[in-house]
Amino acid sequence: ETTLTQSPAFMSATPGDKVNISCKASQDIDDDMNWYQQKPGEAAIFIIQEAITLVPGTPPRFSGSGYGTDFTLTINNIESEDAAYYFCLQHDNFPLTFGQGTKLEIK
Amino acid sequence: QVQLQESGPGLVKPSQTLSLTCTVSGGSISGGDYYWSWIRQPAGKGLEYIGRIYTIGRTDYNPSLKSRVTISIDTSKNQFSLRLSSVTATDTAVYYCARGIISGGYYYGIDYWGQGTLVTVSS
């Protein structure tokens, strides 16, 4: 089973900031990494697929990078609506596993 | 737009069986290009993958829960279901249903999630 170590667990940002969220895999997972955004009481939204590809409808201020074991979700020019819980998922091997999540607060 | 909605009892007694149903709308559950999953998240903890089912009825279960889990599918109702037996307080969690993608024989990740439903195990 692949363990995903996501950091930080919590971060606070100001509108216009750039933030990075990291997800490190315990073994090589190629580019089989997805990122999701979830707001309280809502279904999670798929924002990044295969490590670097924006899901249609995802604002271009979001980007993903990485391959193998180290992955990053970057949000440029943060907006207040980006306040949410973000988590990573690996689908390289079964069972699918998840990062512990990052709560992003916008000041 | 595909939507998934979990339903079922919010309270289950210890040692009993937890049963949840996921209703899929906006698309057919019968298409062969998807797998249908259950995932849970205890309060303050990370997400845990429970298992998945394919349209043909084949299942894959997380080894950590395999002995207690059954996932089934009812294509006539566009639903799939989760049963978790012999529950304890550690099974208290928000339970999510979700859709995963299969393309060209390759398993991609999850593209749509339900909102989740809280199930509490308590007497």
Side-chain angles (χ1 to χ4, degrees):
Chain A
E1 177 172 319
T2 300
T3 300
L4 297 181
T5 303
Q6 186 174 341
S7 61
F10 175 85
M11 63 190 315
S12 185
T14 300
D17 282 353
K18 172 182 175 180
V19 301
N20 291 311
I21 298 172
S22 169
C23 196
K24 295 184 185 295
S26 60
Q27 61 190 25
D28 191 332
I29 59 168
D30 296 335
D31 62 353
D32 296 336
M33 172 65 72
N34 295 345
W35 291 93
Y36 301 85
Q37 176 195 68
Q38 187 176 29
K39 297 182 179 179
E42 299 182 7
I45 295 172
F46 187 22
I47 58 174
I48 301 285
Q49 58 184 336
E50 306 315 295
I52 64 171
T53 302
L54 255 63
V55 174
T58 302
R61 62 181 179 276
F62 289 85
S63 63
S65 61
Y67 189 91
T69 60
D70 288 359
F71 301 87
T72 302
L73 171 68
T74 299
I75 312 174
N76 285 291
N77 196 21
I78 276 202
E79 300 185 5
S80 58
E81 67 182 34
D82 299 332
Y85 176 78
Y86 294 86
F87 61 92
C88 53
L89 171 153
Q90 71 80 20
H91 60 88
D92 178 76
N93 55 82
F94 190 87
L96 280 65
T97 51
F98 304 87
Q100 292 286 74
T102 297
K103 183 175 180 180
L104 174 61
E105 172 193 85
I106 309 299
K107 297 172 192 171
Chain B
Q1 176 82 345
V2 173
Q3 292 185 312
L4 297 92
Q5 181 66 58
E6 305 87 353
S7 59
L11 181 64
V12 181
K13 289 182 167 49
S15 80
Q16 294 191 342
T17 296
L18 177 160
S19 295
L20 295 174
T21 295
C22 182
T23 301
V24 180
S25 59
S28 173
I29 202 171
S30 300
D33 297 334
Y34 304 108
Y35 58 92
W36 306 93
S37 300
W38 287 99
I39 297 151
R40 70 180 184 178
Q41 185 170 29
K45 297 188 177 181
L47 292 153
E48 180 180 31
Y49 195 79
I50 299 171
R52 63 189 176 194
I53 190 165
Y54 307 87
T55 305
I56 59 173
R58 185 190 127 203
T59 54
D60 296 318
Y61 298 137
N62 189 323
S64 67
L65 295 166
K66 187 173 183 177
S67 63
R68 300 194 290 130
V69 172
T70 302
I71 298 176
S72 58
I73 193 166
D74 186 339
T75 56
S76 67
K77 294 182 179 179
N78 232 35
Q79 295 176 334
F80 63 106
S81 299
L82 168 71
R83 288 172 59 85
L84 181 66
S85 64
S86 304
V87 298
T88 69
T90 59
D91 294 309
T92 296
V94 176
Y95 285 76
Y96 297 94
C97 59
R99 187 182 84 168
I101 303 167
I102 304 171
S103 179
Y106 187 79
Y107 289 72
Y108 290 88
I110 290 166
D111 61 348
Y112 286 101
W113 295 71
Q115 289 182 288
T117 187
L118 174 62
V119 178
T120 302
V121 178
S122 175
S123 55

